[in-house]
Amino acid sequence: MAHEPEDPSVQKELPRRTFLRNATLFAGTVAGLGGGLELLSRRPGAAAEGTLPGAVTPAARPLGPYDVKDPITPYAQATSYNNFYEFGIDKADPARMAGSLHTRPWTVRLDGEVRKPQTVDIDTLQSWFPLEDRIYRMRCVEGWSMVMPWLGFPLAALIRRMEPTSKAKYVQFTALYDPKQFPGQRGNVLDWPYVEGLRLDEALHPLAFMAVGLQGRVLPGQNGAPLRLAVPWKYGFKSIKSVVRITLTEKQPHTTWSLAAPDEYGFYANVNPAVDHPRWSQATERRIGDLGRRKTLPFNGYADQVAHLYTGLDLRRNF
Ligand SMILES: Nc1nc2c(c(=O)[nH]1)N[C@H]1C(S)=C(S)[C@@H](COP(=O)(O)O)O[C@H]1N2
Ligand SMILES: [Mo]
């Protein structure tokens, strides 16, 4: 199984996608999540509970150093056009199926090369950090992109709290494995559970973020509730959803897409318009909501902030 190119000119037999088909389904998913109002009310400048649907427009606050100025992708589109293969391979499957995912109670295992391995409840984990807003670009390897207003905390804050040993060089993330909740896991379209990884210095970069909310609301199931990674300078598949385990490792961890197709998806997966996917160009992308295509930027436009992490690394070989 592989990603599909987004540009219909690449594979003409692909059906045209309808983006708004399931736009009305997200409301039930959001309302059903426990802990959500508490989470939102702890957020500085959060909207009152009553305004939950259509709440805080992140653009209404001053932009911070980690925000992009691009117009944000409408919530209805960001929550109805998704890749989340645990729910199915169609872009509409996650929104349609997300009601089967129960995100409370939920625990996250923090282990590996750390001083004190532990299993922590998601609400406790969230309470460790002040929640921040981040407006990030998200560029899928298939050639489409969105602008996502996340709510969450820097991954670095969590890793510091885990107290890495001197052997820790990488971070491995594991998503939930539960075929009862994830219909896609009843088949073997990918090896389950979905796993991802970062080098420790990448994970400690201030842009690497753990999201628990989207556009001022509790993260919907289809976007990776209750906890998902957001690494905006890498292709979207690195940003693993519905995380249950974070493990510090000495060796480079396995990652789902590079196991599935090692010649197509590398460990680094930095957005790079100069390195084409074997089956399509990565030079351009379509911003969801736009008609035309735009140029893809090196490191998804975050080169000034992250390029230094890769000095001396051949980005063609380490794609
Ligand atoms: N657990 C899990 N995480 C995942 C995926 C997945 O199939 N399973 N898909 C990835 C891909 S390919 C992309 S593009 C993004 C999409 O995130 P979004 O739906 O919130 O835009 O999630 C990533 N995280
Ligand atoms: Mo993707």
Side-chain angles (χ1 to χ4, degrees):
M1 187 59 218
H3 285 285
E4 294 170 347
E6 206 271 343
D7 182 348
S9 68
V10 177
Q11 267 189 4
K12 292 206 171 53
E13 71 273 21
L14 286 177
R16 259 187 74 78
R17 306 292 185 177
T18 48
F19 302 126
L20 292 167
R21 207 176 345 153
N22 290 293
T24 51
L25 290 179
F26 65 82
T29 319
V30 174
L33 293 168
L37 297 176
E38 202 255 336
L39 175 142
L40 290 160
S41 59
R42 281 200 299 107
R43 175 173 167 269
E49 291 176 7
T51 61
L52 197 59
V56 191
T57 33
R61 65 174 171 79
L63 295 183
Y66 305 117
D67 295 317
V68 294
K69 293 192 198 76
D70 311 22
I72 62 171
T73 301
Y75 189 81
Q77 294 185 322
T79 55
S80 62
Y81 185 82
N82 303 99
N83 272 336
F84 197 164
Y85 280 28
E86 285 88 335
F87 285 123
I89 61 167
D90 195 89
K91 293 288 183 291
D93 288 336
R96 195 163 49 82
M97 304 303 293
S100 67
L101 176 66
H102 298 283
T103 57
R104 293 296 187 287
W106 187 282
T107 58
V108 183
R109 177 77 185 153
L110 306 172
D111 63 0
E113 292 296 342
V114 298
R115 288 271 151 65
K116 214 173 35 155
Q118 59 179 307
T119 301
V120 61
D121 179 78
I122 183 66
D123 292 312
T124 305
L125 190 151
Q126 263 171 215
S127 74
W128 289 346
F129 314 103
L131 296 181
E132 300 174 27
D133 291 291
R134 297 287 179 90
I135 304 176
Y136 279 176
R137 296 191 194 98
M138 210 279 300
R139 205 298 196 170
C140 177
V141 75
E142 295 166 337
W144 52 269
S145 62
M146 296 195 191
V147 180
M148 307 291 269
W150 302 118
L151 182 63
F153 52 87
L155 174 58
L158 174 56
I159 290 176
R160 289 204 186 93
R161 196 166 168 128
M162 289 167 73
E163 298 186 56
T165 70
S166 59
K167 284 188 183 160
K169 299 283 184 299
Y170 294 89
V171 187
Q172 175 161 46
F173 302 84
T174 308
L176 178 68
Y177 176 74
D178 185 354
K180 283 202 221 68
Q181 301 189 64
F182 282 142
Q185 288 181 335
R186 293 169 213 157
N188 57 358
V189 60
L190 288 173
D191 277 340
W192 309 113
Y194 195 104
V195 286
E196 257 304 336
L198 296 171
R199 242 171 36 195
L200 186 60
D201 62 331
E202 297 179 308
L204 292 173
H205 191 283
L207 279 170
F209 199 65
M210 297 304 303
V212 297
L214 175 65
Q215 201 162 336
R217 294 174 243 190
V218 175
L219 198 60
Q222 58 268 43
N223 296 92
L227 180 70
R228 67 88 57 81
L229 180 65
V231 271
W233 70 96
K234 292 176 180 286
Y235 289 118
F237 66 83
K238 297 293 290 181
S239 292
I240 182 174
K241 297 173 169 182
S242 302
V243 170
V244 293
R245 185 176 177 192
I246 301 175
T247 309
L248 302 194
T249 64
E250 198 174 357
K251 297 211 177 92
Q252 182 174 303
H254 290 300
T255 60
T256 290
W257 280 101
S258 59
L259 286 172
D263 49 328
E264 300 193 355
Y265 311 101
F267 174 79
Y268 282 94
N270 293 314
V271 174
N272 191 343
V275 175
D276 288 340
H277 186 280
R279 293 183 285 125
W280 61 87
S281 163
Q282 293 292 28
T284 66
E285 69 199 57
R286 193 173 62 87
R287 183 66 50 84
I288 295 301
D290 288 359
L291 290 176
R293 298 181 72 83
R294 65 178 67 206
K295 280 193 170 142
T296 288
L297 302 172
F299 299 103
N300 205 19
Y302 295 93
D304 289 350
Q305 291 160 84
V306 302
H308 69 92
L309 294 170
Y310 308 103
T311 336
L313 198 72
D314 178 349
L315 295 175
R316 287 191 169 272
R317 287 194 56 205
N318 299 280
F319 59 91

